[in-house]
Amino acid sequence: MKLFIYFSILLSFVSCAVNQSIGLTMPDQQNGNISSESNNKIINQAGQNSTIENFKITNDLKPISLNVNVIVLRRDNKSQTNFDLKNTEEKQLLIDYFDKMNTYWNNFKNPSDLTGCYTGTDFYPDSKIRFKFNYIELVDSYAWNYMNSGADLSAKKYNGLSPSESWYLSDLDKKLAADPSIPKGVFLYLTMEGRNFDELNKAKGKGFHLNGIEASQFPSSTNLERTSSVNIPNRYLKYLWHRYQAPIDHKTSWSETRNWHLGDAIGTAHELGHTLGLSHNNQYHGANKCQYSIMSQAAGHARNYLQPTEVLKAHKNLRESNLIQFVTEDSFLGNTFSINKSEIWSKKQRFYSNLKLEDNVVLTISEPVILAPQAKVIFGKNAKIIFTKNGKLIQPNNVEFSNFVNKTATSITKS
Ligand SMILES: [Zn+2]
């Protein structure tokens, strides 16, 4: 009963889990305070160079886009068991819901008091990370029912719900990743409570009381070919409740309860933070201690801010983890990374920036480095690139990279 009271007040429970650990939370559903006015206050100059270590987000950077495949799972071909992409109202609701991910990640609000959060004075209104959603319907009765993972939300049994290399959809992860008709991207599965579905569907959501647990998978910096998945259960059942039952229960209209539904998007925006490698805690504060952070799980927190160090952590993961597979081919920030000392690059990585080798720098590269098709590699005086082992410069489509500036006959050697 207590659960239902909370449910009525807060409209939903959204929770999340990373890898194997799951926590419950009841986030603030008030997300109407997002402001873009702070966009005007950005401090950094356009076109500046930095080293990779000193990278800062500047207003002039062009955002880079992460492909996210929203897999709308269906139990069968006969009945409607999830959002119907041919239904204009439902398709638009899904689009509006996922569009909010970009609203959150591009409109951070600068808190007036950072007590408990972070001591820096810097602030980024825009992560310069966008999510590009592709919607894919898939009939798969086993995948559709997350209870096949062993999880049972009614019984607060969350084991199995979290995407991992051994979770119940690991075979499907691999199968979809190998399908050339599907864009390379994060898989975000819209799964369902199979046991109560028919009853709740028939009742148009009446009696819906399931906790809104969501779960996401951290990126991997060791297996760059690995998939990344997110599990978002029961959104369709929640939609039925918002669409048909909530207006009755709360004596209001669907145009109002539709906004309640979209209010749940903050939970999924938080999950995508996990996908980008962010946790509830970081080197500046403990779990859920920053009341403004989008990565807080705590009830009543504003969750419309992300501290600069975390934004940069996400960008680092977009360069160095398995996420390099999922960024759109034309993603290019437009800045220039200065390489000002000789280095050996022995890990595969991807840049969305120009690279400038300063005078006399020798860069030894032993694994592939992926560069944006628009990027340039600029050589200073006597600067050199030496390729060893698997070292090469390529574009995201595997075409050899060749946009060099000030390259001489001795600039690039292979050994
Ligand atoms: Zn979380």
Side-chain angles (χ1 to χ4, degrees):
M1 190 57 199
K2 193 181 174 192
L3 275 182
F4 184 72
I5 291 166
Y6 273 128
F7 180 75
S8 301
I9 295 168
L10 291 168
L11 314 175
S12 79
F13 291 83
V14 177
S15 300
C16 70
V18 191
N19 292 340
Q20 298 304 316
S21 68
I22 301 195
L24 246 174
T25 182
M26 294 166 283
D28 190 339
Q29 294 294 322
Q30 295 173 349
N31 53 7
N33 280 337
I34 293 165
S35 160
S36 58
E37 90 189 67
S38 46
N39 277 329
N40 302 325
K41 296 182 195 159
I42 188 74
I43 21 141
N44 295 297
Q45 294 93 36
Q48 67 176 8
N49 288 12
S50 74
T51 62
I52 296 164
E53 293 76 24
N54 295 330
F55 178 49
K56 301 278 185 289
I57 303 293
T58 52
N59 201 28
D60 59 305
L61 296 182
K62 294 181 272 290
I64 58 176
S65 294
L66 187 69
N67 272 316
V68 179
N69 295 309
V70 178
I71 312 295
V72 185
L73 292 164
R74 292 165 55 184
R75 183 180 60 190
D76 53 64
N77 271 319
K78 299 178 202 118
S79 50
Q80 185 174 356
T81 52
N82 211 328
F83 291 99
D84 179 359
L85 298 183
K86 290 182 208 72
N87 178 312
T88 312
E89 175 183 300
E90 295 181 13
K91 175 83 188 280
Q92 194 58 50
L93 184 68
L94 268 190
I95 288 171
D96 291 350
Y97 183 89
F98 286 106
D99 276 355
K100 293 205 71 137
M101 306 305 137
N102 284 319
T103 307
Y104 283 114
W105 280 82
N106 306 335
N107 292 282
F108 295 131
K109 225 177 164 218
N110 198 359
S112 52
D113 174 12
L114 277 167
T115 305
C117 295
Y118 169 66
T119 51
T121 55
D122 46 347
F123 167 67
Y124 302 151
D126 184 343
S127 66
K128 298 292 180 179
I129 298 167
R130 303 287 187 269
F131 303 100
K132 186 181 174 204
F133 295 98
N134 311 296
Y135 299 90
I136 296 163
E137 282 181 313
L138 183 69
V139 177
D140 185 327
S141 62
Y142 176 79
W144 172 80
N145 183 2
Y146 63 75
M147 297 189 80
N148 286 320
S149 73
D152 184 344
L153 298 193
S154 306
K156 298 191 175 176
K157 190 164 166 267
Y158 306 127
N159 272 353
L161 199 76
S162 294
S164 73
E165 284 173 81
S166 58
W167 79 315
Y168 89 113
L169 295 184
S170 58
D171 286 345
L172 183 58
D173 282 335
K174 292 191 187 84
K175 187 179 143 196
L176 296 178
D179 186 335
S181 72
I182 297 175
K184 281 282 199 182
V186 172
F187 297 127
L188 188 152
Y189 295 103
L190 297 183
T191 61
M192 208 70 68
E193 162 99 4
R195 182 178 51 200
N196 300 329
F197 178 82
D198 286 325
E199 192 187 330
L200 289 166
N201 187 35
K202 198 175 163 195
K204 300 274 190 199
K206 188 176 184 179
F208 181 81
H209 64 281
L210 299 166
N211 293 343
I213 299 279
E214 302 181 355
S216 184
Q217 188 175 19
F218 267 134
S220 171
S221 58
T222 52
N223 180 0
L224 301 194
E225 267 84 58
R226 206 204 66 188
T227 54
S228 274
S229 294
V230 188
N231 185 9
I232 309 290
N234 294 326
R235 283 251 52 93
Y236 179 67
L237 286 173
K238 191 74 179 291
Y239 155 71
L240 290 177
W241 184 79
H242 277 137
R243 176 73 178 84
Y244 299 103
Q245 194 57 39
I248 298 168
D249 292 353
H250 297 272
K251 297 185 174 57
T252 184
S253 63
W254 164 231
S255 63
E256 173 70 21
T257 57
R258 189 180 194 275
N259 287 330
W260 299 358
H261 192 85
L262 297 179
D264 287 356
I266 181 64
T268 305
H270 169 108
E271 290 310 314
L272 290 173
H274 291 315
T275 301
L276 290 165
L278 308 185
S279 305
H280 304 141
N281 64 302
N282 57 57
Q283 66 269 44
Y284 292 92
H285 62 76
N288 305 322
K289 295 296 183 197
C290 178
Q291 60 172 313
Y292 306 102
S293 175
I294 197 169
M295 295 315 297
S296 171
Q297 297 175 289
H301 281 184
R303 312 216 296 176
N304 55 11
Y305 162 74
L306 190 59
Q307 73 192 44
T309 54
E310 296 296 282
V311 176
L312 293 173
K313 202 179 284 176
H315 275 270
K316 184 175 164 68
N317 286 324
L318 289 166
R319 296 195 301 270
E320 299 180 4
S321 78
N322 67 313
L323 297 175
I324 64 174
Q325 304 168 98
F326 311 135
V327 179
T328 59
E329 286 194 8
D330 61 351
S331 282
F332 180 56
L333 291 163
N335 67 319
T336 301
F337 282 139
S338 165
I339 318 293
N340 58 10
K341 58 182 189 299
S342 294
E343 290 180 357
I344 299 170
W345 289 1
S346 54
K347 283 184 175 170
K348 187 175 182 178
Q349 55 189 321
R350 180 170 172 186
F351 292 101
Y352 314 95
S353 309
N354 303 307
L355 298 180
K356 184 180 181 208
L357 281 68
E358 302 296 346
D359 295 353
N360 303 311
V361 161
V362 178
L363 181 59
T364 306
I365 298 176
S366 62
E367 289 296 328
V369 171
I370 304 164
L371 292 164
Q374 310 93 315
K376 292 182 173 67
V377 171
I378 305 148
F379 289 93
K381 274 185 198 163
N382 298 318
K384 285 182 177 41
I385 290 177
I386 301 173
F387 290 125
T388 66
K389 296 180 192 167
N390 304 315
K392 57 181 174 180
L393 296 180
I394 51 171
Q395 297 179 13
N397 61 3
N398 271 325
V399 170
E400 192 182 347
F401 179 88
S402 58
N403 296 341
F404 298 107
V405 177
N406 299 334
K407 177 173 170 261
T408 68
T410 56
S411 295
I412 298 180
T413 57
K414 288 180 186 167
S415 72

